[in-house]
Amino acid sequence: MADTMHLVSFHPPHVQLKSQILKLTPFFNAVVVYFAFVHNPKGELWTTVLKCLPIVMLMLYVVAKGFALTTAYRYSQRILLGLICSCIGDALLNINLFLHGMGAFAIGHIWYISAFGWKPLKLPVGVALYICLVVVISVVLNRLDAVLAIGVPLYAALLTTTCWRALACALHDSSCLNTLCAAGAVLFLLSDLVIGITMFFVTVPFSRLIIMSTYYTAQFAIAFSTAKDLPEFRKLAESGKPSHKGQGGVKTIKD
């Protein structure tokens, strides 16, 4: 696929972000349509289509904003694959194929983790999250059947890892896009936590509204972070890096 051409912009960061948000208008419209028309989905084709539509709009954004099958767009490529898997998972969950849907989302999280990478490690963040995971799984494990007793912990571990790696990226580079992406990963975790509470413990009031609103916001934040692959955002990131050499080659530290 040919690279979409971009001229390096010298507009302020907030202007560039605003221009990208405007490209997400179809996503926002699709979310409004979903909440306006889907109230009690029972696996109908039309509710499945409307549920998947916002994610399809995010997939289109990732491509339309600027995309190529080159190393410069590797982050966008992997996020796109994660969104595709999520869309498949949405469709499967809507027709009550829970295990298959969970499997599709698990593959999606593998792509997200691959996009976020492993450097810097930020091990204490991961340890803290995994401790919380072990506590939650120990509480819910006796409520799961034989298959779910394997599938749920594996999926939860991948979801927790997604959150860890997104937070690690934001802690290393607290740019607007990285911070938004980390917030999205946390919202993804919250959305699935509410699903778990509703399925295995008690029904949470307005659970569908909470689950879907946090889920769509999470996917929006993750997809929007692919804007950092664009030349203008890469230039901003490079210009914002501190210099490690002063005059005469003397190293300096800038906080």
Side-chain angles (χ1 to χ4, degrees), residues 181-220:
C181 184
V186 172
L187 286 174
F188 211 132
L189 192 66
L190 175 61
S191 178
D192 282 4
L193 181 61
V194 176
I195 291 176
I197 293 172
T198 299
M199 285 186 64
F200 305 119
F201 294 97
V202 296
T203 301
V204 177
F206 307 106
S207 59
R208 193 179 72 86
L209 177 61
I210 296 170
I211 290 166
M212 296 309 299
S213 61
T214 52
Y215 169 68
Y216 284 141
T217 305
Q219 294 282 36
F220 154 75

PDB file of all heavy atoms in Angstrom, residues 181-220:
ATOM      1  N   CYS A 181      -3.762   7.080  25.437  1.00  0.00           N
ATOM      2  CA  CYS A 181      -3.762   5.649  25.180  1.00  0.00           C
ATOM      3  C   CYS A 181      -3.745   4.859  26.492  1.00  0.00           C
ATOM      4  O   CYS A 181      -4.456   3.854  26.632  1.00  0.00           O
ATOM      5  CB  CYS A 181      -2.559   5.277  24.323  1.00  0.00           C
ATOM      6  SG  CYS A 181      -2.520   3.544  23.831  1.00  0.00           S
ATOM      7  N   ALA A 182      -2.944   5.295  27.449  1.00  0.00           N
ATOM      8  CA  ALA A 182      -2.895   4.626  28.745  1.00  0.00           C
ATOM      9  C   ALA A 182      -4.243   4.705  29.452  1.00  0.00           C
ATOM     10  O   ALA A 182      -4.714   3.721  30.042  1.00  0.00           O
ATOM     11  CB  ALA A 182      -1.805   5.254  29.611  1.00  0.00           C
ATOM     12  N   ALA A 183      -4.880   5.875  29.379  1.00  0.00           N
ATOM     13  CA  ALA A 183      -6.213   6.015  29.967  1.00  0.00           C
ATOM     14  C   ALA A 183      -7.197   5.069  29.289  1.00  0.00           C
ATOM     15  O   ALA A 183      -8.065   4.463  29.942  1.00  0.00           O
ATOM     16  CB  ALA A 183      -6.689   7.460  29.837  1.00  0.00           C
ATOM     17  N   GLY A 184      -7.050   4.913  27.969  1.00  0.00           N
ATOM     18  CA  GLY A 184      -7.903   3.995  27.234  1.00  0.00           C
ATOM     19  C   GLY A 184      -7.717   2.558  27.683  1.00  0.00           C
ATOM     20  O   GLY A 184      -8.695   1.811  27.836  1.00  0.00           O
ATOM     21  N   ALA A 185      -6.467   2.151  27.914  1.00  0.00           N
ATOM     22  CA  ALA A 185      -6.203   0.786  28.379  1.00  0.00           C
ATOM     23  C   ALA A 185      -6.827   0.542  29.754  1.00  0.00           C
ATOM     24  O   ALA A 185      -7.366  -0.535  30.017  1.00  0.00           O
ATOM     25  CB  ALA A 185      -4.697   0.544  28.426  1.00  0.00           C
ATOM     26  N   VAL A 186      -6.762   1.547  30.621  1.00  0.00           N
ATOM     27  CA  VAL A 186      -7.378   1.424  31.948  1.00  0.00           C
ATOM     28  C   VAL A 186      -8.900   1.302  31.822  1.00  0.00           C
ATOM     29  O   VAL A 186      -9.544   0.500  32.508  1.00  0.00           O
ATOM     30  CB  VAL A 186      -7.000   2.627  32.841  1.00  0.00           C
ATOM     31  CG1 VAL A 186      -7.790   2.602  34.146  1.00  0.00           C
ATOM     32  CG2 VAL A 186      -5.501   2.613  33.129  1.00  0.00           C
ATOM     33  N   LEU A 187      -9.495   2.072  30.917  1.00  0.00           N
ATOM     34  CA  LEU A 187     -10.938   1.993  30.682  1.00  0.00           C
ATOM     35  C   LEU A 187     -11.334   0.631  30.107  1.00  0.00           C
ATOM     36  O   LEU A 187     -12.410   0.103  30.427  1.00  0.00           O
ATOM     37  CB  LEU A 187     -11.386   3.110  29.748  1.00  0.00           C
ATOM     38  CG  LEU A 187     -11.442   4.513  30.352  1.00  0.00           C
ATOM     39  CD1 LEU A 187     -11.767   5.543  29.279  1.00  0.00           C
ATOM     40  CD2 LEU A 187     -12.470   4.587  31.476  1.00  0.00           C
ATOM     41  N   PHE A 188     -10.486   0.065  29.265  1.00  0.00           N
ATOM     42  CA  PHE A 188     -10.731  -1.274  28.728  1.00  0.00           C
ATOM     43  C   PHE A 188     -10.806  -2.274  29.883  1.00  0.00           C
ATOM     44  O   PHE A 188     -11.691  -3.149  29.932  1.00  0.00           O
ATOM     45  CB  PHE A 188      -9.606  -1.666  27.765  1.00  0.00           C
ATOM     46  CG  PHE A 188     -10.028  -2.566  26.643  1.00  0.00           C
ATOM     47  CD1 PHE A 188      -9.650  -2.284  25.336  1.00  0.00           C
ATOM     48  CD2 PHE A 188     -10.788  -3.704  26.883  1.00  0.00           C
ATOM     49  CE1 PHE A 188     -10.041  -3.108  24.286  1.00  0.00           C
ATOM     50  CE2 PHE A 188     -11.173  -4.542  25.841  1.00  0.00           C
ATOM     51  CZ  PHE A 188     -10.788  -4.244  24.538  1.00  0.00           C
ATOM     52  N   LEU A 189      -9.867  -2.147  30.799  1.00  0.00           N
ATOM     53  CA  LEU A 189      -9.840  -3.008  31.984  1.00  0.00           C
ATOM     54  C   LEU A 189     -11.109  -2.834  32.813  1.00  0.00           C
ATOM     55  O   LEU A 189     -11.723  -3.815  33.258  1.00  0.00           O
ATOM     56  CB  LEU A 189      -8.603  -2.678  32.822  1.00  0.00           C
ATOM     57  CG  LEU A 189      -8.224  -3.626  33.957  1.00  0.00           C
ATOM     58  CD1 LEU A 189      -7.809  -4.983  33.426  1.00  0.00           C
ATOM     59  CD2 LEU A 189      -7.090  -3.018  34.772  1.00  0.00           C
ATOM     60  N   LEU A 190     -11.531  -1.594  32.999  1.00  0.00           N
ATOM     61  CA  LEU A 190     -12.737  -1.302  33.765  1.00  0.00           C
ATOM     62  C   LEU A 190     -13.968  -1.888  33.084  1.00  0.00           C
ATOM     63  O   LEU A 190     -14.835  -2.478  33.740  1.00  0.00           O
ATOM     64  CB  LEU A 190     -12.897   0.210  33.933  1.00  0.00           C
ATOM     65  CG  LEU A 190     -14.181   0.698  34.617  1.00  0.00           C
ATOM     66  CD1 LEU A 190     -14.280   0.151  36.031  1.00  0.00           C
ATOM     67  CD2 LEU A 190     -14.245   2.216  34.622  1.00  0.00           C
ATOM     68  N   SER A 191     -14.048  -1.738  31.762  1.00  0.00           N
ATOM     69  CA  SER A 191     -15.181  -2.256  31.017  1.00  0.00           C
ATOM     70  C   SER A 191     -15.321  -3.766  31.201  1.00  0.00           C
ATOM     71  O   SER A 191     -16.408  -4.285  31.494  1.00  0.00           O
ATOM     72  CB  SER A 191     -15.013  -1.930  29.523  1.00  0.00           C
ATOM     73  OG  SER A 191     -16.070  -2.458  28.762  1.00  0.00           O
ATOM     74  N   ASP A 192     -14.210  -4.488  31.063  1.00  0.00           N
ATOM     75  CA  ASP A 192     -14.258  -5.939  31.202  1.00  0.00           C
ATOM     76  C   ASP A 192     -14.480  -6.366  32.658  1.00  0.00           C
ATOM     77  O   ASP A 192     -15.059  -7.423  32.915  1.00  0.00           O
ATOM     78  CB  ASP A 192     -12.971  -6.552  30.660  1.00  0.00           C
ATOM     79  CG  ASP A 192     -12.972  -6.623  29.136  1.00  0.00           C
ATOM     80  OD1 ASP A 192     -13.944  -6.134  28.530  1.00  0.00           O
ATOM     81  OD2 ASP A 192     -12.019  -7.146  28.555  1.00  0.00           O
ATOM     82  N   LEU A 193     -14.024  -5.540  33.587  1.00  0.00           N
ATOM     83  CA  LEU A 193     -14.280  -5.833  34.998  1.00  0.00           C
ATOM     84  C   LEU A 193     -15.773  -5.790  35.293  1.00  0.00           C
ATOM     85  O   LEU A 193     -16.306  -6.653  36.004  1.00  0.00           O
ATOM     86  CB  LEU A 193     -13.531  -4.831  35.882  1.00  0.00           C
ATOM     87  CG  LEU A 193     -13.682  -5.024  37.395  1.00  0.00           C
ATOM     88  CD1 LEU A 193     -13.139  -6.377  37.822  1.00  0.00           C
ATOM     89  CD2 LEU A 193     -12.960  -3.897  38.150  1.00  0.00           C
ATOM     90  N   VAL A 194     -16.460  -4.810  34.727  1.00  0.00           N
ATOM     91  CA  VAL A 194     -17.909  -4.710  34.928  1.00  0.00           C
ATOM     92  C   VAL A 194     -18.614  -5.907  34.284  1.00  0.00           C
ATOM     93  O   VAL A 194     -19.589  -6.437  34.832  1.00  0.00           O
ATOM     94  CB  VAL A 194     -18.451  -3.384  34.360  1.00  0.00           C
ATOM     95  CG1 VAL A 194     -19.967  -3.324  34.468  1.00  0.00           C
ATOM     96  CG2 VAL A 194     -17.837  -2.200  35.103  1.00  0.00           C
ATOM     97  N   ILE A 195     -18.106  -6.356  33.123  1.00  0.00           N
ATOM     98  CA  ILE A 195     -18.666  -7.565  32.496  1.00  0.00           C
ATOM     99  C   ILE A 195     -18.530  -8.749  33.446  1.00  0.00           C
ATOM    100  O   ILE A 195     -19.482  -9.523  33.653  1.00  0.00           O
ATOM    101  CB  ILE A 195     -17.951  -7.875  31.166  1.00  0.00           C
ATOM    102  CG1 ILE A 195     -18.282  -6.819  30.116  1.00  0.00           C
ATOM    103  CG2 ILE A 195     -18.362  -9.262  30.650  1.00  0.00           C
ATOM    104  CD1 ILE A 195     -17.534  -7.011  28.803  1.00  0.00           C
ATOM    105  N   GLY A 196     -17.345  -8.896  34.037  1.00  0.00           N
ATOM    106  CA  GLY A 196     -17.112 -10.012  34.952  1.00  0.00           C
ATOM    107  C   GLY A 196     -17.997  -9.960  36.182  1.00  0.00           C
ATOM    108  O   GLY A 196     -18.549 -10.984  36.609  1.00  0.00           O
ATOM    109  N   ILE A 197     -18.147  -8.771  36.756  1.00  0.00           N
ATOM    110  CA  ILE A 197     -18.998  -8.627  37.941  1.00  0.00           C
ATOM    111  C   ILE A 197     -20.441  -8.988  37.610  1.00  0.00           C
ATOM    112  O   ILE A 197     -21.120  -9.699  38.360  1.00  0.00           O
ATOM    113  CB  ILE A 197     -18.909  -7.182  38.484  1.00  0.00           C
ATOM    114  CG1 ILE A 197     -17.511  -6.908  39.028  1.00  0.00           C
ATOM    115  CG2 ILE A 197     -19.961  -6.953  39.578  1.00  0.00           C
ATOM    116  CD1 ILE A 197     -17.272  -5.463  39.409  1.00  0.00           C
ATOM    117  N   THR A 198     -20.905  -8.521  36.449  1.00  0.00           N
ATOM    118  CA  THR A 198     -22.286  -8.779  36.037  1.00  0.00           C
ATOM    119  C   THR A 198     -22.513 -10.258  35.731  1.00  0.00           C
ATOM    120  O   THR A 198     -23.558 -10.827  36.056  1.00  0.00           O
ATOM    121  CB  THR A 198     -22.640  -7.926  34.801  1.00  0.00           C
ATOM    122  OG1 THR A 198     -22.508  -6.546  35.134  1.00  0.00           O
ATOM    123  CG2 THR A 198     -24.063  -8.183  34.343  1.00  0.00           C
ATOM    124  N   MET A 199     -21.526 -10.917  35.103  1.00  0.00           N
ATOM    125  CA  MET A 199     -21.687 -12.318  34.722  1.00  0.00           C
ATOM    126  C   MET A 199     -21.591 -13.265  35.905  1.00  0.00           C
ATOM    127  O   MET A 199     -22.338 -14.251  35.987  1.00  0.00           O
ATOM    128  CB  MET A 199     -20.623 -12.712  33.685  1.00  0.00           C
ATOM    129  CG  MET A 199     -20.862 -12.205  32.289  1.00  0.00           C
ATOM    130  SD  MET A 199     -19.658 -12.874  31.105  1.00  0.00           S
ATOM    131  CE  MET A 199     -20.051 -14.627  31.171  1.00  0.00           C
ATOM    132  N   PHE A 200     -20.688 -12.975  36.861  1.00  0.00           N
ATOM    133  CA  PHE A 200     -20.375 -13.961  37.885  1.00  0.00           C
ATOM    134  C   PHE A 200     -20.795 -13.569  39.296  1.00  0.00           C
ATOM    135  O   PHE A 200     -20.738 -14.400  40.207  1.00  0.00           O
ATOM    136  CB  PHE A 200     -18.870 -14.251  37.868  1.00  0.00           C
ATOM    137  CG  PHE A 200     -18.354 -14.673  36.525  1.00  0.00           C
ATOM    138  CD1 PHE A 200     -17.395 -13.926  35.863  1.00  0.00           C
ATOM    139  CD2 PHE A 200     -18.838 -15.821  35.907  1.00  0.00           C
ATOM    140  CE1 PHE A 200     -16.917 -14.317  34.621  1.00  0.00           C
ATOM    141  CE2 PHE A 200     -18.365 -16.217  34.660  1.00  0.00           C
ATOM    142  CZ  PHE A 200     -17.403 -15.473  34.018  1.00  0.00           C
ATOM    143  N   PHE A 201     -21.219 -12.327  39.494  1.00  0.00           N
ATOM    144  CA  PHE A 201     -21.583 -11.905  40.842  1.00  0.00           C
ATOM    145  C   PHE A 201     -22.978 -11.271  40.865  1.00  0.00           C
ATOM    146  O   PHE A 201     -23.965 -11.969  41.058  1.00  0.00           O
ATOM    147  CB  PHE A 201     -20.528 -10.935  41.400  1.00  0.00           C
ATOM    148  CG  PHE A 201     -19.193 -11.581  41.620  1.00  0.00           C
ATOM    149  CD1 PHE A 201     -18.184 -11.474  40.674  1.00  0.00           C
ATOM    150  CD2 PHE A 201     -18.945 -12.310  42.780  1.00  0.00           C
ATOM    151  CE1 PHE A 201     -16.957 -12.084  40.865  1.00  0.00           C
ATOM    152  CE2 PHE A 201     -17.716 -12.937  42.985  1.00  0.00           C
ATOM    153  CZ  PHE A 201     -16.721 -12.824  42.022  1.00  0.00           C
ATOM    154  N   VAL A 202     -23.057  -9.994  40.678  1.00  0.00           N
ATOM    155  CA  VAL A 202     -24.349  -9.301  40.721  1.00  0.00           C
ATOM    156  C   VAL A 202     -24.475  -8.410  39.498  1.00  0.00           C
ATOM    157  O   VAL A 202     -23.477  -8.009  38.897  1.00  0.00           O
ATOM    158  CB  VAL A 202     -24.483  -8.442  42.002  1.00  0.00           C
ATOM    159  CG1 VAL A 202     -24.470  -9.328  43.242  1.00  0.00           C
ATOM    160  CG2 VAL A 202     -23.384  -7.393  42.074  1.00  0.00           C
ATOM    161  N   THR A 203     -25.705  -8.118  39.138  1.00  0.00           N
ATOM    162  CA  THR A 203     -25.947  -7.222  38.011  1.00  0.00           C
ATOM    163  C   THR A 203     -25.666  -5.788  38.425  1.00  0.00           C
ATOM    164  O   THR A 203     -26.248  -5.283  39.387  1.00  0.00           O
ATOM    165  CB  THR A 203     -27.398  -7.342  37.529  1.00  0.00           C
ATOM    166  OG1 THR A 203     -27.645  -8.694  37.131  1.00  0.00           O
ATOM    167  CG2 THR A 203     -27.647  -6.413  36.350  1.00  0.00           C
ATOM    168  N   VAL A 204     -24.764  -5.145  37.709  1.00  0.00           N
ATOM    169  CA  VAL A 204     -24.427  -3.753  37.982  1.00  0.00           C
ATOM    170  C   VAL A 204     -25.483  -2.860  37.334  1.00  0.00           C
ATOM    171  O   VAL A 204     -25.815  -3.056  36.163  1.00  0.00           O
ATOM    172  CB  VAL A 204     -23.030  -3.417  37.424  1.00  0.00           C
ATOM    173  CG1 VAL A 204     -22.703  -1.939  37.639  1.00  0.00           C
ATOM    174  CG2 VAL A 204     -21.980  -4.312  38.050  1.00  0.00           C
ATOM    175  N   PRO A 205     -26.045  -1.906  38.086  1.00  0.00           N
ATOM    176  CA  PRO A 205     -27.029  -0.993  37.476  1.00  0.00           C
ATOM    177  C   PRO A 205     -26.433  -0.277  36.256  1.00  0.00           C
ATOM    178  O   PRO A 205     -25.278   0.150  36.285  1.00  0.00           O
ATOM    179  CB  PRO A 205     -27.331  -0.003  38.602  1.00  0.00           C
ATOM    180  CG  PRO A 205     -27.009  -0.749  39.861  1.00  0.00           C
ATOM    181  CD  PRO A 205     -25.846  -1.632  39.515  1.00  0.00           C
ATOM    182  N   PHE A 206     -27.234  -0.190  35.204  1.00  0.00           N
ATOM    183  CA  PHE A 206     -26.800   0.448  33.945  1.00  0.00           C
ATOM    184  C   PHE A 206     -25.527  -0.207  33.403  1.00  0.00           C
ATOM    185  O   PHE A 206     -24.671   0.466  32.824  1.00  0.00           O
ATOM    186  CB  PHE A 206     -26.574   1.949  34.146  1.00  0.00           C
ATOM    187  CG  PHE A 206     -27.730   2.670  34.763  1.00  0.00           C
ATOM    188  CD1 PHE A 206     -27.687   3.080  36.084  1.00  0.00           C
ATOM    189  CD2 PHE A 206     -28.893   2.921  34.038  1.00  0.00           C
ATOM    190  CE1 PHE A 206     -28.755   3.736  36.670  1.00  0.00           C
ATOM    191  CE2 PHE A 206     -29.965   3.575  34.605  1.00  0.00           C
ATOM    192  CZ  PHE A 206     -29.903   3.989  35.921  1.00  0.00           C
ATOM    193  N   SER A 207     -25.421  -1.512  33.587  1.00  0.00           N
ATOM    194  CA  SER A 207     -24.183  -2.213  33.232  1.00  0.00           C
ATOM    195  C   SER A 207     -23.850  -2.078  31.744  1.00  0.00           C
ATOM    196  O   SER A 207     -22.692  -1.832  31.389  1.00  0.00           O
ATOM    197  CB  SER A 207     -24.273  -3.687  33.611  1.00  0.00           C
ATOM    198  OG  SER A 207     -25.360  -4.315  32.962  1.00  0.00           O
ATOM    199  N   ARG A 208     -24.842  -2.232  30.858  1.00  0.00           N
ATOM    200  CA  ARG A 208     -24.556  -2.151  29.426  1.00  0.00           C
ATOM    201  C   ARG A 208     -24.062  -0.766  29.041  1.00  0.00           C
ATOM    202  O   ARG A 208     -23.128  -0.620  28.235  1.00  0.00           O
ATOM    203  CB  ARG A 208     -25.783  -2.520  28.595  1.00  0.00           C
ATOM    204  CG  ARG A 208     -25.459  -2.770  27.117  1.00  0.00           C
ATOM    205  CD  ARG A 208     -26.693  -3.165  26.337  1.00  0.00           C
ATOM    206  NE  ARG A 208     -27.589  -2.033  26.143  1.00  0.00           N
ATOM    207  CZ  ARG A 208     -27.478  -1.167  25.130  1.00  0.00           C
ATOM    208  NH1 ARG A 208     -26.498  -1.292  24.252  1.00  0.00           N
ATOM    209  NH2 ARG A 208     -28.337  -0.168  25.005  1.00  0.00           N
ATOM    210  N   LEU A 209     -24.661   0.260  29.632  1.00  0.00           N
ATOM    211  CA  LEU A 209     -24.229   1.629  29.356  1.00  0.00           C
ATOM    212  C   LEU A 209     -22.794   1.847  29.820  1.00  0.00           C
ATOM    213  O   LEU A 209     -21.972   2.432  29.098  1.00  0.00           O
ATOM    214  CB  LEU A 209     -25.160   2.626  30.053  1.00  0.00           C
ATOM    215  CG  LEU A 209     -24.803   4.105  29.912  1.00  0.00           C
ATOM    216  CD1 LEU A 209     -24.831   4.527  28.447  1.00  0.00           C
ATOM    217  CD2 LEU A 209     -25.744   4.967  30.740  1.00  0.00           C
ATOM    218  N   ILE A 210     -22.483   1.352  31.010  1.00  0.00           N
ATOM    219  CA  ILE A 210     -21.127   1.503  31.540  1.00  0.00           C
ATOM    220  C   ILE A 210     -20.135   0.716  30.696  1.00  0.00           C
ATOM    221  O   ILE A 210     -19.070   1.229  30.311  1.00  0.00           O
ATOM    222  CB  ILE A 210     -21.062   1.035  33.011  1.00  0.00           C
ATOM    223  CG1 ILE A 210     -21.928   1.924  33.895  1.00  0.00           C
ATOM    224  CG2 ILE A 210     -19.614   1.029  33.511  1.00  0.00           C
ATOM    225  CD1 ILE A 210     -22.105   1.403  35.306  1.00  0.00           C
ATOM    226  N   ILE A 211     -20.481  -0.528  30.386  1.00  0.00           N
ATOM    227  CA  ILE A 211     -19.573  -1.404  29.635  1.00  0.00           C
ATOM    228  C   ILE A 211     -19.275  -0.832  28.250  1.00  0.00           C
ATOM    229  O   ILE A 211     -18.110  -0.711  27.847  1.00  0.00           O
ATOM    230  CB  ILE A 211     -20.174  -2.820  29.510  1.00  0.00           C
ATOM    231  CG1 ILE A 211     -20.169  -3.516  30.874  1.00  0.00           C
ATOM    232  CG2 ILE A 211     -19.394  -3.652  28.491  1.00  0.00           C
ATOM    233  CD1 ILE A 211     -21.040  -4.763  30.925  1.00  0.00           C
ATOM    234  N   MET A 212     -20.320  -0.463  27.522  1.00  0.00           N
ATOM    235  CA  MET A 212     -20.119  -0.022  26.147  1.00  0.00           C
ATOM    236  C   MET A 212     -19.518   1.377  26.061  1.00  0.00           C
ATOM    237  O   MET A 212     -18.712   1.660  25.167  1.00  0.00           O
ATOM    238  CB  MET A 212     -21.440  -0.082  25.376  1.00  0.00           C
ATOM    239  CG  MET A 212     -22.002  -1.489  25.218  1.00  0.00           C
ATOM    240  SD  MET A 212     -20.810  -2.691  24.562  1.00  0.00           S
ATOM    241  CE  MET A 212     -20.430  -1.979  22.958  1.00  0.00           C
ATOM    242  N   SER A 213     -19.881   2.266  26.977  1.00  0.00           N
ATOM    243  CA  SER A 213     -19.317   3.626  26.935  1.00  0.00           C
ATOM    244  C   SER A 213     -17.824   3.604  27.262  1.00  0.00           C
ATOM    245  O   SER A 213     -17.024   4.276  26.590  1.00  0.00           O
ATOM    246  CB  SER A 213     -20.072   4.557  27.887  1.00  0.00           C
ATOM    247  OG  SER A 213     -19.985   4.104  29.216  1.00  0.00           O
ATOM    248  N   THR A 214     -17.432   2.825  28.280  1.00  0.00           N
ATOM    249  CA  THR A 214     -16.007   2.739  28.606  1.00  0.00           C
ATOM    250  C   THR A 214     -15.244   1.988  27.520  1.00  0.00           C
ATOM    251  O   THR A 214     -14.099   2.334  27.190  1.00  0.00           O
ATOM    252  CB  THR A 214     -15.795   2.045  29.963  1.00  0.00           C
ATOM    253  OG1 THR A 214     -16.507   0.787  29.979  1.00  0.00           O
ATOM    254  CG2 THR A 214     -16.296   2.905  31.108  1.00  0.00           C
ATOM    255  N   TYR A 215     -15.883   0.995  26.931  1.00  0.00           N
ATOM    256  CA  TYR A 215     -15.232   0.212  25.866  1.00  0.00           C
ATOM    257  C   TYR A 215     -14.977   1.064  24.626  1.00  0.00           C
ATOM    258  O   TYR A 215     -13.858   1.081  24.085  1.00  0.00           O
ATOM    259  CB  TYR A 215     -16.104  -0.994  25.512  1.00  0.00           C
ATOM    260  CG  TYR A 215     -15.661  -1.713  24.256  1.00  0.00           C
ATOM    261  CD1 TYR A 215     -14.464  -2.417  24.225  1.00  0.00           C
ATOM    262  CD2 TYR A 215     -16.445  -1.671  23.103  1.00  0.00           C
ATOM    263  CE1 TYR A 215     -14.048  -3.070  23.069  1.00  0.00           C
ATOM    264  CE2 TYR A 215     -16.043  -2.323  21.947  1.00  0.00           C
ATOM    265  CZ  TYR A 215     -14.843  -3.017  21.931  1.00  0.00           C
ATOM    266  OH  TYR A 215     -14.436  -3.658  20.793  1.00  0.00           O
ATOM    267  N   TYR A 216     -15.992   1.777  24.169  1.00  0.00           N
ATOM    268  CA  TYR A 216     -15.809   2.611  22.980  1.00  0.00           C
ATOM    269  C   TYR A 216     -14.793   3.725  23.237  1.00  0.00           C
ATOM    270  O   TYR A 216     -13.987   4.066  22.366  1.00  0.00           O
ATOM    271  CB  TYR A 216     -17.139   3.206  22.537  1.00  0.00           C
ATOM    272  CG  TYR A 216     -18.051   2.227  21.824  1.00  0.00           C
ATOM    273  CD1 TYR A 216     -19.427   2.240  22.045  1.00  0.00           C
ATOM    274  CD2 TYR A 216     -17.542   1.306  20.909  1.00  0.00           C
ATOM    275  CE1 TYR A 216     -20.273   1.351  21.387  1.00  0.00           C
ATOM    276  CE2 TYR A 216     -18.373   0.405  20.256  1.00  0.00           C
ATOM    277  CZ  TYR A 216     -19.734   0.437  20.495  1.00  0.00           C
ATOM    278  OH  TYR A 216     -20.565  -0.452  19.844  1.00  0.00           O
ATOM    279  N   THR A 217     -14.824   4.300  24.439  1.00  0.00           N
ATOM    280  CA  THR A 217     -13.846   5.340  24.782  1.00  0.00           C
ATOM    281  C   THR A 217     -12.435   4.767  24.786  1.00  0.00           C
ATOM    282  O   THR A 217     -11.486   5.404  24.309  1.00  0.00           O
ATOM    283  CB  THR A 217     -14.166   5.960  26.151  1.00  0.00           C
ATOM    284  OG1 THR A 217     -15.508   6.448  26.161  1.00  0.00           O
ATOM    285  CG2 THR A 217     -13.213   7.107  26.468  1.00  0.00           C
ATOM    286  N   ALA A 218     -12.301   3.545  25.309  1.00  0.00           N
ATOM    287  CA  ALA A 218     -10.993   2.890  25.346  1.00  0.00           C
ATOM    288  C   ALA A 218     -10.454   2.654  23.944  1.00  0.00           C
ATOM    289  O   ALA A 218      -9.293   2.975  23.640  1.00  0.00           O
ATOM    290  CB  ALA A 218     -11.107   1.558  26.092  1.00  0.00           C
ATOM    291  N   GLN A 219     -11.289   2.118  23.075  1.00  0.00           N
ATOM    292  CA  GLN A 219     -10.839   1.839  21.719  1.00  0.00           C
ATOM    293  C   GLN A 219     -10.550   3.127  20.949  1.00  0.00           C
ATOM    294  O   GLN A 219      -9.609   3.179  20.147  1.00  0.00           O
ATOM    295  CB  GLN A 219     -11.901   1.011  20.977  1.00  0.00           C
ATOM    296  CG  GLN A 219     -12.110  -0.393  21.546  1.00  0.00           C
ATOM    297  CD  GLN A 219     -11.024  -1.371  21.121  1.00  0.00           C
ATOM    298  OE1 GLN A 219      -9.856  -1.023  21.000  1.00  0.00           O
ATOM    299  NE2 GLN A 219     -11.415  -2.610  20.886  1.00  0.00           N
ATOM    300  N   PHE A 220     -11.343   4.160  21.203  1.00  0.00           N
ATOM    301  CA  PHE A 220     -11.069   5.474  20.595  1.00  0.00           C
ATOM    302  C   PHE A 220      -9.679   5.965  20.994  1.00  0.00           C
ATOM    303  O   PHE A 220      -8.882   6.406  20.149  1.00  0.00           O
ATOM    304  CB  PHE A 220     -12.125   6.485  21.028  1.00  0.00           C
ATOM    305  CG  PHE A 220     -11.657   7.912  21.002  1.00  0.00           C
ATOM    306  CD1 PHE A 220     -11.507   8.590  19.804  1.00  0.00           C
ATOM    307  CD2 PHE A 220     -11.345   8.571  22.194  1.00  0.00           C
ATOM    308  CE1 PHE A 220     -11.059   9.902  19.785  1.00  0.00           C
ATOM    309  CE2 PHE A 220     -10.899   9.873  22.182  1.00  0.00           C
ATOM    310  CZ  PHE A 220     -10.746  10.551  20.973  1.00  0.00           C
TER     311      PHE A 220
END
